[in-house]
Amino acid sequence: MFAGQMTDLLFTEKDLVTSLKDYIQAEERKLEQVKQWAEKLDSLTSIATQDPEGFLGHPVNAFKLMKRLNTEWGDLENLVLKDMSDGFISNLTIQRQHFPSDEDQTGAAKALLRLQDTYQLDTQSISTGDLPGTSVKLPYRSTLTVEDCFELGRIAYSESDYRHTEVWMAQALKQLDEGEESSVEPVMVLDYLSYSVYQQGELERALDFTRRLLELDPEHQRANGNLKYFEYQLAKQRKAGEDLRYRRSEGAEPEREESEGRKGVKKDNLPEKKKYEQLCRGEGIKMTPRRQSRLFCRYYDNNQHPRYLLGPVKQEDEWDRPYIIRYHDIISEWEIEKVKELAKPRLRRATVHDPQTGQLTTAQYRVSKSAWLTANEHSVVDHINQRIEDLTGLDVQTAEELQVANYGVGGQYEPHFDFGRKDEPDAFKELGTGNRIATWLFYMSDVAAGGATVFPEVGAVVRPIKGTAVFWYNLLPSGEGDYSTRHAACPVLVGNKWVSNKWIHEHGQEFRRRCGLHEMD
C-alpha cells in the first residue's frame, strides 16, 4: 500500500476509534444504571432484612417486592445481557474489507528492512524512531515495541533472511532485558536467535544463545537437540582447525597470502547495488570543483519563445555528463494538487517493460504506484504537456501519457534505463513511436529524507524539490542509447514522494536540441 491509500486508512482508523469510544460510553452508561440499581436495592434490603415481618406487614412494601421480583429483576437481566457493541461491530465489519492484508504487512516489513540496509540504520535508531529527517519534537514520532521487533525478525526468518532475523531478534531481546513488558517470551526470541546465527556459520554464538534458552526452559525439546548438535559441530570445527595448523607447522601446507586485488575492493569496482545505495546516502558523488564551477543558473526563454519571452523560467545545471537540467517553480501548487486528485483513484502497482515480451509487468525492484493521465481529460494535463514541448523544443504528440507515481515509505525504483537497448528490440514496439529520446520528471513533493534520483554510472544525485522538474536526453545525437543515464529512485526514508514524468519518443522529432544550450564537454 502507498501513501494515498494509507492516508485513507488513517481516517478509517480514526473513524473506528470514534465508534469504539461510542461503544465504551454506551457500556459505561449501562454499568452506571446497574450500579444505581444495586446501590438502591442494597440500601432497601439492608433495612428490610432487619425486621422482615414488620417490613412486609406494610402492603406497599409487599406489592413492590412482588413487582421487583416479577418485573424489575427481569428488566435488569435484559439490561445486563444487552449487547452494546452492535454499532461498533457493524462499522468494523464494513471497514475490514479495506484493511491491509498479510501481504501488505509483509511488504511494509520488507520496506523497513530495505531502508535499514540502504541507509545503514541500526536497529536501535529505528526502534526509537531516531531517523534522519525527523525531529524529537515531532508529535508523530513513533517507537517499536518488543512485539514489533519480534514481528520484523519473524518476517525476515520466513524469507530465509537470517541476518535481519538476527539483528531484530537481538533488538527484541535487548528491550526485554531492559525491562520492557511484553507478551513475547525471551525463550521464543532466543530460539530464533540461536538458529539465525547458526545459519550464518557462527556456531559459538549459536551455542551461547541455546544455553541461555535452556537456563530459562531446561525442558525445551528443540533446544536440547540443538545443543548436542552445535557442540558436536563446534568440536569437529576446532579439530579441523588444529589439524590445519599442525600441517602448516610441519610445512605440508603453506599459508596463502591474499593478493592485493583480493584484500579489498576498489570503490570504482563496487557492484552497482552498492554504488546506488552509497549515492542514496549522499556518498560517492563524483563532481570535482572544476566541473562544479562550470554549472550555472539562468533565466531561460528557449530562444525567445513567445510564451516565455516576458516571463522566462529559472533553469539550473544539475550535472554535466549526462547533461541534466532542473527547472525551478515550473509547476504550481494548484496544478500539483489537481494532478494528484486525477491520479489517486487510478493508482495501481507500477509496471516496467519486460525485455523478453515487450509487455508491461510488475517487478520487485520497482515499489511504487502509478497512474496515467491523458491530455484530453483535463486542461491542466494539456497545459503541462504544452509546457514541456515549449521548453524542450520536442514534439510531445508521440510522447507517452503523463505518468504520475507515488512512492510511500520504502518506495524505490532500482537502477534502470528509460530507453530500449539493442537487446530489447521490441521494448516499445506496441507504441510505434520509436525509442525514448528524453525524460522529463516533475517533483510534486518535498521528501524529508531519502527519495533522491541517482545515476550510479556517473555518481550524480538529484534531490526532490517540490515544484521543480529535471530533464535529460536518453539517446546520443547518433541515436544510440546513452548508458550514462542509467538511474534509480532511492527508497523514501521519511516522507511521501510524488512525481510525474513524460517520456518523449523519437518519432515526430525533426531535429534535436538540448534546450537551446550547447552540450557540455
Side-chain angles (χ1 to χ4, degrees):
M1 289 200 173
F2 295 85
Q5 289 172 299
M6 293 182 73
T7 300
D8 292 339
L9 287 178
L10 273 179
F11 285 100
T12 296
E13 189 171 46
K14 186 176 186 297
D15 178 53
L16 285 174
V17 170
T18 301
S19 181
L20 179 60
K21 288 168 73 176
D22 289 342
Y23 160 64
I24 291 169
Q25 288 176 356
E27 287 285 5
E28 287 175 342
R29 285 194 297 270
K30 183 176 83 172
L31 286 172
E32 185 60 32
Q33 286 179 268
V34 174
K35 181 180 176 183
Q36 290 174 2
W37 172 262
E39 289 174 349
K40 182 181 74 171
L41 284 192
D42 182 49
S43 176
L44 179 64
T45 54
S46 295
I47 296 171
T49 53
Q50 290 176 11
D51 181 8
E53 289 187 8
F55 179 81
L56 292 173
H58 196 297
V60 173
N61 288 339
F63 164 74
K64 293 186 71 172
L65 175 62
M66 295 300 108
K67 179 175 176 288
R68 281 198 303 273
L69 293 173
N70 183 54
T71 304
E72 295 179 16
W73 276 100
D75 292 341
L76 180 66
E77 180 183 21
N78 291 335
L79 177 61
V80 171
L81 293 175
K82 184 178 180 181
D83 190 351
M84 311 302 290
S85 65
D86 287 350
F88 171 66
I89 295 299
S90 175
N91 192 17
L92 182 59
T93 301
I94 292 169
Q95 299 294 355
R96 279 189 68 85
Q97 61 184 314
H98 305 298
F99 282 12
S101 63
D102 289 344
E103 183 181 355
D104 292 323
Q105 182 177 334
T106 299
K110 288 181 179 178
L112 202 50
L113 300 181
R114 185 163 58 245
L115 291 173
Q116 181 180 7
D117 287 347
T118 302
Y119 296 104
Q120 294 184 345
L121 305 170
D122 59 77
T123 54
Q124 180 68 16
S125 295
I126 299 174
S127 182
T128 57
D130 186 19
L131 301 176
T134 62
S135 165
V136 292
K137 296 180 180 178
L138 283 178
Y140 47 80
R141 183 179 176 184
S142 190
T143 58
L144 296 178
T145 63
V146 170
E147 285 85 355
D148 296 330
C149 297
F150 181 80
E151 179 65 10
L152 285 168
R154 190 193 62 76
I155 289 174
Y157 177 83
S158 70
E159 299 285 321
S160 300
D161 179 356
Y162 300 114
R163 183 176 66 82
H164 282 120
T165 304
E166 177 199 347
V167 297
W168 282 106
M169 290 300 173
Q171 181 65 30
L173 188 62
K174 177 177 180 290
Q175 291 178 209
L176 282 171
D177 289 342
E178 290 172 348
E180 182 179 325
E181 291 186 6
S182 172
S183 60
V184 177
E185 297 292 336
V187 166
M188 297 168 63
V189 179
L190 287 163
D191 196 13
Y192 277 102
L193 259 177
S194 62
Y195 188 75
S196 62
V197 297
Y198 160 69
Q199 284 288 347
Q200 296 176 82
E202 299 183 61
L203 275 170
E204 288 192 43
R205 290 185 65 217
L207 196 56
D208 288 341
F209 285 129
T210 303
R211 285 171 177 156
R212 182 173 170 184
L213 189 162
L214 288 170
E215 288 176 5
L216 298 172
D217 183 4
E219 304 302 319
H220 197 288
Q221 188 175 357
R222 183 168 50 252
N224 276 299
N226 286 346
L227 180 69
K228 294 175 184 177
Y229 179 75
F230 293 157
E231 286 176 337
Y232 167 75
Q233 289 292 334
L234 192 59
K236 185 177 173 182
Q237 191 181 81
R238 285 171 175 166
K239 186 176 185 307
E242 289 172 2
D243 290 345
L244 179 61
R245 283 193 294 273
Y246 175 76
R247 288 197 299 272
R248 283 177 175 170
S249 67
E250 293 295 313
E253 187 174 336
E255 294 189 35
R256 300 173 185 171
E257 287 189 8
E258 281 192 305
S259 65
E260 285 297 317
R262 291 183 58 84
K263 282 184 179 177
V265 180
K266 291 184 179 179
K267 286 191 176 181
D268 288 345
N269 296 327
L270 284 174
E272 182 180 58
K273 188 170 189 296
K274 294 294 183 186
K275 284 194 224 177
Y276 156 62
E277 290 178 345
Q278 272 192 345
L279 290 171
C280 289
R281 295 192 298 270
E283 304 167 5
I285 300 172
K286 298 176 181 176
M287 177 65 79
T288 63
R290 183 175 177 226
R291 286 172 63 186
Q292 183 74 39
S293 68
R294 299 181 65 189
L295 303 181
F296 296 96
C297 298
R298 64 189 69 80
Y299 283 102
Y300 178 70
D301 61 14
N302 195 10
N303 294 320
Q304 298 188 330
H305 189 286
R307 286 193 178 92
Y308 298 101
L309 182 60
L310 296 179
V313 297
K314 291 179 278 190
Q315 192 185 70
E316 177 186 6
D317 299 333
E318 281 280 351
W319 205 259
D320 53 357
R321 296 186 298 271
Y323 187 34
I324 306 168
I325 53 179
R326 187 193 295 265
Y327 293 88
H328 289 268
D329 303 321
I330 202 63
I331 183 170
S332 70
E333 182 71 28
W334 180 86
E335 288 173 320
I336 288 172
E337 291 307 312
K338 178 54 69 174
V339 167
K340 286 164 64 176
E341 178 189 320
L342 294 169
K344 279 180 181 179
R346 285 179 269 172
L347 286 174
R348 299 290 182 272
R349 176 70 190 270
T351 55
V352 297
H353 274 93
D354 186 326
Q356 302 299 321
T357 65
Q359 302 299 312
L360 291 173
T361 182
T362 58
Q364 289 301 315
Y365 57 82
R366 185 175 192 184
V367 186
S368 65
K369 286 207 169 184
S370 65
W372 299 84
L373 304 181
T374 60
N376 59 9
E377 62 186 288
H378 196 282
S379 60
V380 70
V381 182
D382 187 38
H383 291 159
I384 285 171
N385 290 341
Q386 186 63 54
R387 191 174 308 149
I388 295 170
E389 181 171 293
D390 293 342
L391 290 172
T392 62
L394 297 172
D395 189 344
V396 298
Q397 294 302 309
T398 57
E400 294 173 51
E401 295 170 357
L402 186 71
Q403 182 183 219
V404 183
N406 176 218
Y407 295 82
V409 172
Q412 64 169 12
Y413 192 176
E414 290 182 8
H416 62 282
F417 298 104
D418 280 352
F419 63 87
R421 289 165 291 166
K422 287 183 178 179
D423 58 350
E424 303 171 327
D426 298 330
F428 307 108
K429 186 177 180 181
E430 74 278 9
L431 298 178
T433 53
N435 213 339
R436 287 173 175 167
I437 192 173
T439 295
W440 178 287
L441 177 64
F442 285 108
Y443 292 112
M444 302 197 301
S445 66
D446 293 312
V447 181
T453 305
V454 299
F455 294 72
E457 292 295 313
V458 297
V461 176
V462 179
R463 304 195 184 282
I465 301 174
K466 186 176 183 179
T468 71
V470 291
F471 174 79
W472 68 86
Y473 279 92
N474 297 305
L475 304 182
L476 298 167
S478 64
E480 296 292 313
D482 184 350
Y483 284 79
S484 69
T485 62
R486 187 167 174 83
H487 60 287
C490 295
V492 175
L493 177 56
V494 178
N496 183 18
K497 178 182 174 184
W498 283 90
V499 297
S500 56
N501 63 276
K502 195 78 173 173
W503 283 309
I504 305 171
H505 283 247
E506 290 177 294
H507 291 187
Q509 315 305 333
E510 296 180 0
F511 58 90
R512 294 184 58 193
R513 56 182 176 178
R514 302 212 173 240
C515 298
L517 301 173
H518 296 294
E519 183 178 3
M520 292 194 168
D521 297 328

